[in-house]
Amino acid sequence: MTDREISSTRLPLVQRPRRNRKSDWSRRLVRETTLDASDLIWPIFVIEGEGRREPVSSMPGVFRQSIDLAAQAVAEAAALGVPAVALFPNTDPRLRDETASVALDPNNLVCRACRAIKETAPDIGVITDVALDPYTSHGHDGLLSGDEILNDETVAVLAAQAVTQARAGADIIAPSDMMDGRVGAIRSALDAEGFQNVQIMSYAAKYASAFYGPFRDAIGTNKTLRGDKRAYQMDPANTDEALREVALDLEQGADMVMVKPGMPYLDIVHRIAETFHTPTFAYQVSGEYAMIMAAGQNGWLDEERAMMESLLAFKRAGAAGVLTYFAPRAAELLRDAK
């Protein structure tokens, strides 16, 4: 085209949004949402033994680790700026029973891991999962009578479990069971034992999702779970119900709330953050992680870009932070980008 032809095609625009996107420095200058290592919580899986590191086959790059290796890995994550880790045990099947008795053992895998991590990396927060599924022979989050999950009886055990974990040094108790009334019972039990400063991060909106499969593989409940969890986890079709659940948990003493899974439920994250203006977290669950890793390893997408874009999406939706298996890797990339 000639100069005259080019000139004649120019549009008489006053507003040209692309001006702000023309260069890297300009894009950074007008960026609305940022991601930092402080936004990341790292879920880790612990197993018995010493010097043990087992790959989780359905989660490339994720391992079950013995307590000594887990404590070392947590210290490395802390050095990258990751502020907290969440502990999940793969309990020896021989210790699992109908009543989840090992959940109340002060020397169980989680309690020992908690003490070791606090000794090795005292400045990182330790979040412990309060639920019975890693300890029950039937794989459910609560006590079972026939086919019924017993709510009130389960809550009594959960409150005792929370106190046991607090005594081991847990900074944040995270009930993931979805029993009615458990946050209030846990808060009362913690306060009665002098743990007023131990925080509660409630899995307030936890859905009965298909995205949990690799996690159940990692903690060893895929083979033990009888039936499904739809009688207590939320229906994926519901949004207003999530707001009711959050309201109840906040009234009962939750300091923070969580949405699980993450990316398929960004609308839930946004509604909760906008409605309650309380610290709202999202869990980028095992199935989400596995999809990104599998697609990246097959060359179907840029793995690192997809990872960072997915984490930024949580912040854009209103999440205060994200539980993600990508945490150390993302923190390292964020550090190197500075």
Side-chain angles (χ1 to χ4, degrees), residues 267-279:
D267 59 319
I268 309 300
V269 174
H270 183 71
R271 285 197 71 187
I272 291 171
E274 288 289 301
T275 301
F276 296 99
H277 303 285
T278 196

Side-chain angles (χ1 to χ4, degrees), residues 192-230:
E193 294 296 322
F195 295 111
Q196 291 90 346
N197 290 326
V198 172
Q199 297 151 270
I200 295 177
M201 177 189 286
S202 169
Y203 287 64
K206 183 178 179 180
Y207 286 83
S209 171
F211 287 89
Y212 300 148
F215 175 89
R216 292 173 184 163
D217 177 26
I219 66 168
T221 59
N222 260 339
K223 296 178 180 178
T224 61
L225 180 61
R226 298 184 212 159
D228 58 52
K229 302 188 178 187
R230 287 180 289 183

Side-chain angles (χ1 to χ4, degrees), residues 242-252 276:
L243 301 186
R244 291 195 294 273
E245 289 279 6
V246 170
L248 287 168
D249 286 359
L250 292 174
E251 289 169 7
Q252 293 173 35
F276 296 99

